[in-house]
Amino acid sequence: MMKRINVVGTSASGKTTFSKAMAEKLGLQHIELDDLFWQDNWQQSADEVFLAKLATQMNQTATGYVIDGNYSRSIPVKWREVDVVIWLDIPFHVNMWQSLKRAIQRAVTGRTLWPSSNNTESFSRMLSRDSIIWWMIKTHQKNRKKYLHMMEDPQYQHIRWIHLKSSRQAQQFLATL
């Protein structure tokens, strides 16, 4: 039985779409870490504030939750009780395509990214050193090493790991729920 789940993966790997679909299918609350972390005008939350928001969200769910996001600083809070970590480990070229496509769509629409802030994507931001595309490029391989190591780490052996290596595997997994 999966009641407390964390979906992780590199930016633009499909975490939010997957997490929302999973939460809906299982009747669980969806918790998006980006929404808890980012304040208006791309200001980051202090760790104490961010982790308190996360703990509150986790504690307010009677049926369980699907946490969507990485944020290594949140591991001591979120993995204390988590049953399952689902790692969306898609190939770099697919991740790169999804990252570009998503950033362009967001810049064109100008839509607010998360309910709790006024943050939007823009073409100038997309081309800056703060770009989500550059972040994906810098972290893709690093994330692979990190999660492969964590899967073997004795302190995380209480967690069931599900390692999905393609968008197709992710869709097939959701179809089995």
Side-chain angles (χ1 to χ4, degrees), residues 75-166:
I75 287 173
V77 174
K78 66 184 181 179
W79 286 8
R80 220 179 5 233
E81 296 180 1
V82 79
D83 305 316
V84 178
V85 170
I86 299 173
W87 174 21
L88 301 181
D89 181 23
I90 64 173
F92 180 83
H93 70 281
V94 175
N95 208 161
M96 182 65 171
W97 169 247
Q98 288 180 185
S99 184
L100 285 166
K101 186 172 81 170
R102 183 178 83 173
I104 291 168
Q105 286 173 337
R106 287 176 167 183
V108 167
T109 65
R111 201 175 28 166
T112 302
L113 301 181
W114 305 289
S116 298
S117 71
N118 67 357
N119 299 316
T120 60
E121 186 66 74
S122 67
F123 287 105
S124 61
R125 184 169 184 81
M126 229 171 64
L127 301 173
S128 76
R129 67 180 182 87
D130 293 328
S131 166
I132 196 69
I133 298 165
W134 291 119
W135 179 255
M136 188 286 299
I137 291 168
K138 290 188 314 191
T139 60
H140 190 273
Q141 189 60 31
K142 188 171 96 175
N143 281 342
R144 289 202 84 249
K145 289 178 183 174
K146 175 177 77 172
Y147 288 120
L148 286 170
H149 174 74
M150 291 173 121
M151 287 173 72
E152 302 298 322
D153 191 324
Q155 72 177 318
Y156 303 123
Q157 292 307 299
H158 67 285
I159 297 171
R160 176 177 163 216
W161 288 81
I162 299 173
H163 187 181
L164 303 174
K165 299 177 184 179
S166 69

Side-chain angles (χ1 to χ4, degrees), residues 9-26:
T10 302
S11 297
S13 61
K15 292 183 303 294
T16 300
T17 301
F18 182 92
S19 296
K20 285 179 178 177
M22 184 174 202
E24 186 174 321
K25 281 190 131 190
L26 296 176

Side-chain angles (χ1 to χ4, degrees), residues 1 23-24 30 34 38 51 59 67 70 82 123 134-135 144 154 172:
M1 175 83 164
E24 186 174 321
H30 174 245
D34 282 335
W38 290 105
L51 298 176
N59 292 332
I67 298 172
N70 301 317
V82 79
F123 287 105
W134 291 119
W135 179 255
R144 289 202 84 249
Q172 289 171 340

